[in-house]
């Protein structure tokens, strides 16, 4: 196949669609290589709109690593909005990459990264537009060579890929950096040998080398009551339990080095630098924390170099230090101070965009806001009552939270945002109503600490969705009726409070999308038919409220699941017992199943668990299974100043000096983010 | 404080950038190129860049302008070369001059546009242009963010001529006075289709070729020439 540019066909359509700039590519640091020079062609996709997908770090990292290989070509594609999709169908233009505007169907490997399950319908749109048969069963072709690209799923949602098992050829679990290179090596050698045996042989080679999970090499059988009877491999040389990949020594993998700089507006307009991967805080609801263990820090020196090189290569004016809980980096204080010193006077803002920042102290927060605005802090206690916070293992006392927030107000922050979840296991109306008490205490304390009345606090609430590979994987999800009713109760209680009601902003979403996310997160292969039916009925962009239709999902569940003896409720609100075979039990995230179950029992007893970085290992299973260990500092180094980008003279306005706040607040309080946006 | 005036082009697929996209890309380009840009004072400092008009999304241009304030002196030619190198191909910096009074907007009151119209028949276009130019006034409606706006296209059009690029593509050259609200290439097309039977099967590709002050003969005066002349005069004084 040729890899010919489709742009001449696409260009006349672009004036007719919304935001055409998202389809033209041309980003800073994008790469377009000659098609014929490459031995292996990778197309990478983030299955959501360009504005969401472009900043995705996973795709950017793999794009750069692959393009660094002289004989590998990697390009990107994103979901096209329905306006362009209709025109593409009318004019017979297939799904294209934004780099070379090449047909996705021409590539050898098509890697799709899923951060959320709500991107599954967009996968089907892309496959269909690319001319790839939706179902893997229809992709079998006799003879040598590839007729269509091999479709490979990755990302956090791929830890339970069973609902999309009928649509993807292979799945990569865990960190992709080394995995994509090894997959490339095998593909290159196989192509050089004349691509013997076609698609199935390539998949077999990848699976045998333990690089990927190939769903079609495993058969699932069901019991009469609908539960899974067994998952068995149908080739004996593929692993019984395909395992996740774990990258160790993040300092050797400082990607992205040259971040993509979009021309169009995107959701994150900043340089993102990942300061560590993994989290052992042990929040029981958090899939990311469980599947990315253990903790692997980047050293302060590497972080400093990545920030410096990334700013020079991009021209961004904000740096976000990413991780699941950025204030937990063993040298976060030194990093914050070093970067704030280095970029003082350059109008470069620093932020800890994660809402999972522990160990808040005002010194740190002040460093982060030194070169930028001091607008808001986000604290995420997640659970409304202290009891519930013990259930989810995110222990914060109300007094500590109020004290921390007071300090923030006293130090000049204007807005505090509190983030909670609703529908957690064991939750009662009373637990949720305690959110109102907390908000009242926060406003009162803020008024006292700041000395004025115009203090605001936003309470933001999301519905809890149980995920695979967590202690809550057995839990029954709260129905959307229960969630919605509790939130209404809470809202009415806050509104009725004459003293503080008007100072509290209240944000929550309808509970129904959470039920569908729950279906897709814990579903098995039978859910694939539901996804396909929803897509055929026009379902697209399910993460966007203006496109999401609960009725369409409900109807599709009804039509596809009833005959199988299961249902939407069966997959979501039903609690599982210890012996039930879960759809993802044959996939190895390193976590010991008995440990997860014990932690689930601890949760029900509201018993907490410490962090294994600071207390002895409690045998979650990851380190021995994966041959890894926590890699943390401190290194004791500091950041040496470099000549920063675009430093202006002293007359240039820098941010207003903050009050000399240096009073450390009791740490380990709440998850906090000092955000300067 | 030194100010530099910049003329740049927006070409090829980058014609689909909106004005906001361009402004953001230039801000980043200025940082990447390490141009010493002055920032505004205040709570959230922003780079002191002032934009003059902007070709609409979808229109290419050879003549877009802005002015940037510097916090330290830098040779205009050096600004041009380094900024151009820091921008993606398709946003091309053509000229930079040290700013002199009067302000740039005072030197720009009209644009010359070229519209490539693939699939349009030259004979039909000829008739439409003659018909439009023969009118006293011709008002068209356009949907904007703030509802529907009416603009008088005939009043804004100074002159228009058309020719055939080849058998399948017609070319329209038109000079349009800057009015409020502005008359865009789209509006000219709407007007042409209103006065005659004109089939435009594919969206035309408009390019702004020039901006400047309209001379009596219908040509445009380059807005950066006075600054260049002033710079030459200063150099002459130094040499004398
Ligand atoms: S095995 Fe032990 S040290 Fe490793 S992540 Fe699990 S609890 Fe922590």
């Amino acid at each position: 196949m040729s890899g010919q540019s489709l742009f001449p066909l696409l260009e006349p359509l672009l004036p007719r669609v919304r935001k055409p700039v998202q389809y033209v590519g041309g980003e800073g640091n994008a790469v377009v290589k000659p098609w014929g020079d490459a031995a292996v062609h990778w197309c990478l996709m983030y299955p959501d709109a360009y504005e969401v997908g472009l900043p995705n770090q996973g795709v950017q990292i793999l794009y750069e690593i692959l393009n660094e290989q002289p004989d590998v070509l990697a390009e990107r594609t994103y979901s096209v909005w329905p306006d362009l999709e209709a025109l593409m169908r009318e004019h017979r233009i297939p799904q294209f990459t934004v780099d070379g505007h090449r047909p996705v169907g021409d590539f050898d490997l098509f890697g799709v990264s899923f951060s959320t399950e709500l991107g599954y319908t967009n996968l089907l749109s892309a496959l269909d537009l690319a001319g790839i048969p939706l179902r893997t069963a229809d992709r079998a072709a006799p003879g040598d060579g590839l007729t269509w690209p091999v479709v490979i799923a990755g990302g956090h949602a791929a830890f339970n890929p069973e609902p999309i098992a009928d649509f993807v050829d292979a799945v990569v679990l865990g960190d992709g950096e080394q995995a994509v290179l090894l997959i490339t090596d095998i593909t290159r050698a196989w192509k050089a040998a004349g691509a013997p045996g076609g698609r199935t042989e390539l998949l077999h080679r990848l699976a045998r080398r333990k690089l990927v999970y190939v769903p079609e090499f495993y058969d699932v059988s069901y019991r009469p009551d609908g539960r899974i009877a067994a998952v068995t491999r149908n080739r004996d040389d593929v692993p019984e339990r395909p395992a996740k990949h774990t990258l160790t020594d993040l300092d050797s993998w400082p990607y992205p080095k040259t971040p993509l700089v979009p021309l169009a507006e995107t959701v994150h307009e900043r340089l993102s630098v990942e300061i560590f991967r993994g989290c052992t805080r042990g929040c029981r609801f958090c899939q990311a924390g469980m599947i990315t263990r253990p903790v692997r820090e980047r050293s302060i020196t590497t972080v400093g170099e990545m920030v410096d090189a990334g700013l020079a290569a991009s021209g961004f004016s904000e740096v976000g230090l990413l991780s699941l809980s950025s204030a937990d980096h063993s040298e976060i204080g030194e990093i914050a101070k070093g970067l704030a010193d280095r970029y003082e006077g350059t109008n470069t803002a620093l932020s800890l965009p994660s809402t999972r920042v522990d160990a808040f102290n005002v010194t740190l927060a002040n460093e982060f806001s030194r070169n930028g605005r001091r607008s808001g802090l986000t604290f995420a206690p997640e659970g409304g009552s202290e009891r519930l916070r013990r259930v989810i293992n995110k222990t914060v006392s109300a007094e500590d939270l109020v004290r921390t927030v007071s300090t923030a107000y006293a130090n000049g922050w204007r807005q505090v945002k509190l983030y909670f979840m609703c529908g957690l296991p064991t939750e009662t109306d009373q637990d949720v109503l305690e959110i109102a008490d907390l908000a009242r205490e926060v406003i009162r304390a803020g008024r006292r600490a700041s000395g004025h009345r115009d203090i605001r606090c936003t309470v933001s609430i999301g519905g809890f969705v149980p995920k695979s590979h967590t202690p809550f994987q057995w839990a029954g999800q709260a129905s959307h009726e229960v969630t919605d009713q509790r939130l209404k109760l809470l809202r009415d209680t806050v509104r009725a409070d004459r003293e503080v009601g008007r100072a509290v902003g209240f944000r929550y979403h309808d509970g129904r999308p959470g039920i569908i996310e729950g279906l897709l997160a814990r579903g098995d292969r039978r859910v694939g038919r539901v996804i396909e039916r929803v897509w055929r009925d026009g379902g697209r962009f399910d993460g966007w409220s203006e496109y999401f239709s609960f009725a369409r999902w409900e109807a599709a569940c009804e039509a596809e699941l009833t005959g199988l003896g299961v249902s939407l409720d069966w997959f979501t609100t039903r609690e599982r017992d210890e012996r039930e075979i879960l759809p993802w039990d044959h996939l190895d995230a390193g976590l010991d199943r008995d440990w997860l179950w014990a932690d689930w029992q601890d949760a029900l007893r509201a018993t907490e668990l410490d962090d294994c970085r600071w207390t002895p290992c409690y045998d979650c299973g990851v380190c021995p299974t994966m041959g890894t260990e926590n890699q943390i500092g401190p290194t004791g180094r500091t950041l040496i100043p470099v000549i920063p980008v675009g430093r202006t003279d002293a007359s240039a306005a820098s941010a207003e000096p903050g009050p000399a706040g240096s009073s450390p607040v009791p740490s380990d309080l709440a998850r906090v983010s000092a955000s300067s946006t | 404080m030194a100010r530099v005036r910049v003329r740049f082009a927006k070409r090829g697929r980058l014609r689909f950038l909106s004005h906001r996209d361009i402004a953001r890309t230039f801000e980043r380009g200025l940082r990447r190129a390490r141009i010493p840009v002055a920032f505004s004072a205040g709570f959230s400092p922003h780079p002191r860049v002032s934009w003059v008009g902007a070709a609409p999304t979808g229109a290419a241009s050879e003549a877009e302008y802005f002015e940037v304030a510097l916090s330290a002196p830098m040779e205009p030619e050096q600004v041009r070369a380094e900024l151009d190198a820091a921008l993606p191909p398709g946003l091309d910096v053509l000229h930079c001059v040290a700013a002199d009074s009067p302000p740039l907007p005072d030197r720009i009151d009209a644009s010359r546009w070229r519209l490539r119209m693939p699939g349009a028949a030259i004979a039909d276009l000829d008739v439409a242009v003659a018909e439009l130019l023969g009118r006293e006034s011709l008002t068209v409606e356009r949907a904007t963010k703030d509802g529907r706006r009416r603009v008088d296209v005939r009043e804004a059009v100074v002159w228009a001529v058309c020719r055939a690029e080849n058998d399948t593509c017609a070319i329209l050259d038109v000079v349009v006075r800057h009015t409020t609200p502005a008359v865009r290439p789209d509006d000219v097309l709407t007007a042409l289709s209103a006065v005659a039977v004109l089939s435009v099967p594919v969206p035309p590709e408009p390019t702004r070729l020039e901006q400047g002050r309209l001379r009596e003969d219908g040509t445009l005066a380059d807005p950066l020439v006075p600054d260049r002349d002033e710079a030459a005069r200063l150099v002459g004084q130094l040499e004398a």
Side-chain angles (χ1 to χ4, degrees), chain A residues 117 156-157 159-160 283-292 467-470 521:
Chain A
E117 296 82 3
H156 287 181
F159 272 83
N160 175 24
C283 300
R284 292 176 175 129
F285 54 84
C286 179
Q287 187 191 41
M290 292 291 162
I291 62 178
T292 60
K467 295 276 165 107
S468 63
H469 304 280
T470 68

Side-chain angles (χ1 to χ4, degrees), chain A residues 280 293-294 612 617-624 630:
Chain A
T280 46
R293 293 172 168 226
C612 61
C617 168
Y618 45 75
D619 293 324
C620 78
V622 169
C623 293
N630 282 328

Side-chain angles (χ1 to χ4, degrees), chain A residues 426-439:
Chain A
T426 78
E427 180 184 277
T428 63
D429 288 1
Q430 192 47 43
D431 291 314
V432 173
L433 284 176
E434 284 195 32
I435 295 173
D437 300 337
L438 259 183

Side-chain angles (χ1 to χ4, degrees), chain A residues 7 11-12 14 21 24 101 261-265 269 312-317 346-348 373 645 648-649 653 656, chain B residues 12-17 20-21 24-25 27-28 31-32 34 36-37 39-45 57 71 88 202-203:
Chain A
F7 197 71
E11 189 170 10
L14 292 181
V21 62
V24 305
H101 293 94
V261 188
L263 301 172
E265 192 166 5
E269 298 280 327
S314 67
F316 283 127
S317 55
T346 66
N347 293 295
T348 306
R373 281 159 292 168
V645 187
T648 52
D649 65 339
E656 43 160 322
Chain B
R13 56 185 173 167
L14 266 52
R15 73 183 165 102
F16 293 107
L17 267 64
R20 282 162 56 92
D21 299 331
R24 214 175 26 246
T25 304
E27 279 182 25
R28 287 179 189 150
R31 290 180 78 97
R32 265 182 86 170
R34 298 171 179 247
V37 177
F39 275 70
S40 65
F43 185 56
S44 71
T57 307
S71 60
V202 190

Side-chain angles (χ1 to χ4, degrees), chain A residues 57 240 283 285 331 343 615 634 640:
Chain A
Q57 291 296 291
E240 214 167 328
C283 300
F285 54 84
E331 289 175 294
Y343 297 105
T615 55
I640 33 167

Side-chain angles (χ1 to χ4, degrees), chain A residues 60-101:
Chain A
Q60 288 204 21
I61 289 169
L62 301 185
Y63 177 73
E64 190 169 345
I65 286 179
L66 289 167
N67 276 318
E68 274 183 2
Q69 302 286 310
D71 66 343
V72 178
L73 173 156
E75 301 201 352
R76 295 160 296 130
T77 188
Y78 304 93
S79 297
V80 296
W81 287 106
D83 60 349
L84 182 59
E85 182 184 334
L87 288 171
M88 285 164 66
R89 289 186 187 280
E90 182 189 329
H91 294 264
R92 301 182 172 282
I93 298 179
Q95 179 83 22
F96 56 86
T97 60
V98 296
D99 298 290
H101 293 94

